[in-house]
Amino acid sequence: LDGRFPGLLIDGGANVGRATARWLAALGDSSGQRLARNATQAPCIVCAGASAHEGGGGGPEAPGVAVVAVEPSEANFALLQRHAAEGRWMEDGFMAIQAALGGEPGEALLAVSKDFAIDEVASLFFDEQDKRARQPVRVITVGDVLEAATKTFPGIDVNHSGIFLLKLDIEGLEPDVLRSTARLEVFTKFLSFEYAGNVWREPLGGV
């Protein structure tokens, strides 16, 4: 990447933040961001890191990486926020949104397993026989994520850099979201999604 901002990383179905943690560890520069905010920092002679800048202090520059984690489950989202605080992910470019990622914005019910410490199978798709508890949830689109990222990270140009990586693990909503990306005005460089034949309501070949 040569120290350049790669583009936005979207962790769709972030769960408790495992993928996000790996991305920030590989691409982030939290120490450089902390130094940039230190008003007593002496001017640097040789500055390393994507966010290091000559002169030191005076506030942070744009983050070297920007990750948006989207997770609908209340319990998972609470753990995601705790992991973010413990890992100081905010020192890099990180934001979390409690919502489900879908093809169209709206409201829905999420079937959740409250007996699990970490719910790996919370889903908007369920039948009447499903005994799991229901949680109201907001549904947002990738476009909504881009808009939120632009406001949260004003130092980066998402429209120019695009989406570096879009990861989808959203229990059957992948086809809707994949199709919706065709309407975006930005490009997506890398795409990662999970195909689950027992959850998807259409074959992979139709997407």
Side-chain angles (χ1 to χ4, degrees):
L1 297 177
D2 300 325
R4 295 171 296 177
F5 177 71
L8 190 67
L9 291 91
I10 301 176
D11 191 353
N15 201 261
V16 298
R18 297 183 187 93
T20 289
R22 295 187 183 100
W23 296 345
L24 291 173
L27 300 172
D29 181 27
S30 58
S31 60
Q33 290 288 338
R34 286 195 294 273
L35 286 173
R37 281 190 290 272
N38 185 354
T40 64
Q41 175 72 17
C44 62
I45 297 174
V46 178
C47 294
S51 62
H53 62 286
E54 184 176 357
E61 291 188 342
V65 61
V67 178
V68 181
V70 184
E71 170 58 38
S73 162
E74 291 178 355
N76 288 349
F77 190 78
L79 285 173
L80 173 66
Q81 289 184 305
R82 192 178 85 184
H83 293 160
E86 292 172 350
R88 303 180 72 172
W89 297 350
M90 298 298 182
E91 298 288 355
D92 286 303
F94 170 76
M95 71 174 295
I97 302 175
Q98 185 181 349
L101 201 57
E104 298 290 341
E107 305 287 334
L109 290 176
L110 182 73
V112 296
S113 304
K114 293 193 173 182
D115 293 336
F116 299 161
I118 299 175
D119 192 347
E120 303 276 2
V121 291
S123 176
L124 298 185
F125 293 148
F126 53 85
D127 55 37
E128 294 180 359
Q129 286 72 43
D130 195 318
K131 301 300 183 183
R132 290 179 292 176
R134 310 291 193 257
Q135 173 201 312
V137 66
R138 180 169 56 117
V139 181
I140 63 173
T141 66
V142 175
D144 294 327
V145 173
L146 291 173
E147 183 178 349
T150 300
K151 293 177 181 177
T152 301
F153 311 120
I156 66 175
D157 186 354
V158 174
N159 291 327
H160 174 74
S161 59
I163 300 171
F164 180 70
L165 173 58
L166 173 60
K167 174 223 138 191
L168 301 174
D169 184 1
I170 49 179
E171 299 300 317
L173 282 169
E174 287 88 352
D176 289 343
V177 174
L178 289 171
R179 276 191 286 265
S180 75
T181 60
R183 302 194 297 266
L184 298 177
E185 296 181 357
V186 302
F187 66 91
T188 301
K189 188 168 187 179
F190 296 109
L191 176 66
S192 171
F193 65 91
E194 179 182 60
Y195 172 68
N198 63 323
V199 177
W200 280 35
R201 294 189 169 185
E202 59 186 279
L204 180 60
V207 178

